[in-house]
Amino acid sequence: MTLSTSNVDVDRAQRIQHERRMPGDAGRPLSQSRGVMRTARIGSTALMSLWFALPFLPLVLWSFANSWSAPDLLPMTLGVDGLTAALANGAVAAFGDSLLLSLIVAAIATPVGAMAARALSRRTLPFGRLVSVLLFSPVLLPPFAAVLGINVVLLRAWVPPELGVILVLVVVAIPYTTFSMRVAYAAYDDGYDEAARTLGATSRFALWRIHLPLIAPALARSAFLAFLVGWSDYLVTLVVGGGQLVTLPLIIASSASGIGNESSVAVLSLSAVIPPLILLAFVSRARNLNPGKQS
């Protein structure tokens, strides 16, 4: 008798997996509001969005202000002097280096965190509590002291600065990806993988066609957290990079601490905000996908 992997109903598995999500996730009954509660939820969301958006209004105005001094509420003259100064300070190269660094950190830390989370969630890993402590230790250690100590080790080992920055940031990002994926695996049913294998699927087929589609939203959230670690880092890049790797946070800090102009700092700051917001929109879209949608 020949068994076919087509008997595995991926849509049904995704629908059931969606129902097993943790409380508070999109689509869960506890996260659904009706009537007055729905109105209150929409209002509170609007107020919080306004609260987070208001600080960016001065940045937008400063970005196009050639001159703006007190007590004027609005810029006296508008222009692109800030953008010109930011480009002259190497904003494009720093933006590219930051983006590449963040993508590399996310590409490494996300699968490592997923594998660690799966091993820990199964509770079959020897000395699981000790492994958990070691994985989360980068979050507990004082950042400056830890980075200085690690930098000495990397220098003595002749590790290139760029590679050293990547290694350290990956270690820093792993606790976040592990925690995020561990929550996801707490609601994951291994029975889908076992069913696929029973029906004749190979390990690779079960991984790519069953396992990964079910945990894709959690992987997206973990990758987003790892990306933020690399994108927003200043201390590790400054100390370990030793000036060989100039990222956007370094340019922003140097421009803000100097006598420079506020327009240039505003342009650089806005450029640092845009990529995380775009990724957040994609992550939110992935989270709100409804695997249980009936056809």
Side-chain angles (χ1 to χ4, degrees):
M1 179 178 179
T2 303
L3 298 178
S4 173
T5 55
S6 61
N7 293 330
V8 179
D9 191 344
V10 178
D11 292 336
R12 181 174 180 273
Q14 289 180 329
R15 183 168 61 254
I16 296 176
Q17 178 67 19
H18 177 74
E19 296 172 354
R20 291 172 56 90
R21 289 182 178 181
M22 302 299 291
D25 281 354
R28 290 287 294 173
L30 291 179
S31 66
Q32 296 175 350
S33 303
R34 296 179 177 86
V36 177
M37 293 302 298
R38 178 180 178 84
T39 303
R41 184 182 179 187
I42 294 175
S44 61
T45 302
L47 289 176
M48 291 186 63
S49 300
L50 182 62
W51 174 265
F52 285 105
L54 280 178
F56 295 106
L57 180 58
L59 286 179
V60 174
L61 293 177
W62 265 118
S63 299
F64 298 98
N66 286 349
S67 61
W68 189 7
S69 58
D72 295 325
L73 295 179
L74 296 175
M76 292 176 288
T77 58
L78 300 177
V80 292
D81 289 352
L83 177 60
T84 303
L87 294 176
N89 289 335
V92 175
F95 185 94
D97 290 342
S98 291
L99 185 61
L100 180 60
L101 174 63
S102 304
L103 292 176
I104 293 175
V105 171
I108 299 175
T110 302
V112 172
M115 291 186 289
R118 189 176 188 186
L120 291 172
S121 63
R122 288 182 172 181
R123 301 183 183 276
T124 57
L125 189 66
F127 308 105
R129 292 186 177 180
L130 178 60
V131 173
S132 298
V133 172
L134 292 176
L135 285 174
F136 287 94
S137 59
V139 181
L140 304 176
L141 296 175
F144 190 75
V147 170
L148 286 179
I150 293 174
N151 188 41
V152 173
V153 176
L154 295 175
L155 289 175
R156 292 182 180 274
W158 295 92
V159 177
E162 295 84 355
L163 179 59
V165 172
I166 293 174
L167 292 176
V168 176
L169 290 180
V170 166
V171 173
V172 174
I174 285 177
Y176 300 98
T177 58
T178 302
F179 177 79
S180 177
M181 292 304 302
R182 193 170 182 179
V183 173
Y185 275 118
Y188 184 79
D189 188 357
D190 289 327
Y192 300 125
D193 298 339
E194 296 172 0
R197 295 296 304 277
T198 302
L199 294 173
T202 62
S203 299
R204 180 176 298 179
F205 182 91
L207 174 65
W208 287 100
R209 298 296 299 274
I210 306 297
H211 189 90
L212 290 181
L214 293 177
I215 65 170
L219 285 174
R221 293 193 294 267
S222 299
F224 176 67
L225 292 176
F227 180 90
L228 289 182
V229 170
W231 181 261
S232 60
D233 175 74
Y234 172 79
L235 181 61
V236 174
T237 309
L238 177 65
V239 177
V240 179
Q244 299 299 315
L245 182 62
V246 180
T247 58
L248 201 56
L250 296 184
I251 294 290
I252 295 175
S254 62
S255 299
S257 61
I259 58 175
N261 63 65
E262 290 81 357
S263 298
S264 175
V265 176
V267 171
L268 293 171
S269 299
L270 284 179
S271 65
V273 172
I274 292 174
L277 289 180
I278 295 176
L279 286 179
L280 182 59
F282 281 107
V283 171
S284 299
R285 183 175 182 273
R287 177 180 177 177
N288 291 326
L289 289 177
N290 186 4
K293 184 177 180 181
Q294 298 291 340
S295 58

